[in-house]
């Protein structure tokens, strides 16, 4: 996926990495768990890869998700 990596950062104190890459001429957002193998972090199959438009839709849903999560605590 890291054809043309634009951004990559691990969530604080987590094994989850968020990255933005160019793939086949289009930007994609990848949210993926990583695991350590002999000192090297490797991607697991547990993750999601989405277009920028899909990511925008997800971010629009976040307030509703946060509201629902607050009722579950």
């Amino acid at each position: 996926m890291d054809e043309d990596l634009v951004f990559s950062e691990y969530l604080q104190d987590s094994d989850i990495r968020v990255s933005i890459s160019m793939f086949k001429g289009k930007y994609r957002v990848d949210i993926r768990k990583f695991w350590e193998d002999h000192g090297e972090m490797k991607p697991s199959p547990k993750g999601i890869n989405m277009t920028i438009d899909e990511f925008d839709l997800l971010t629009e849903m976040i307030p509703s998700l946060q509201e629902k999560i607050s009722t579950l605590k």
Side-chain angles (χ1 to χ4, degrees), residues 24-39:
K24 295 186 179 180
K26 296 191 179 200
Y27 288 109
R28 311 242 346 146
V29 176
D30 190 66
I31 303 170
R32 190 155 309 276
K33 283 192 156 259
F34 275 67
W35 59 282
E36 188 174 340
D37 181 30
H38 305 290

Side-chain angles (χ1 to χ4, degrees), residues 1-5 21-26:
M1 172 61 202
D2 294 345
E3 187 174 293
D4 289 314
L5 188 64
S21 297
M22 174 74 73
F23 184 71
K24 295 186 179 180
K26 296 191 179 200

Side-chain angles (χ1 to χ4, degrees), residues 51-65:
T51 66
I52 297 296
D53 289 340
E54 290 168 331
F55 183 77
D56 287 342
L57 290 172
L58 176 63
T59 60
E60 288 175 15
M61 291 177 60
I62 287 176
S64 297
L65 292 168

Side-chain angles (χ1 to χ4, degrees), residues 10 16 20 39 44 63 71:
Y10 283 93
I16 297 172
I20 302 170
S44 77
T71 68

Side-chain angles (χ1 to χ4, degrees), residues 1 6 11-12 17 28 40 46 53 58 61 63 72:
M1 172 61 202
V6 175
L11 297 181
Q12 185 176 356
R17 186 178 91 172
R28 311 242 346 146
E40 182 182 351
K46 294 179 182 178
D53 289 340
L58 176 63
M61 291 177 60
L72 300 173

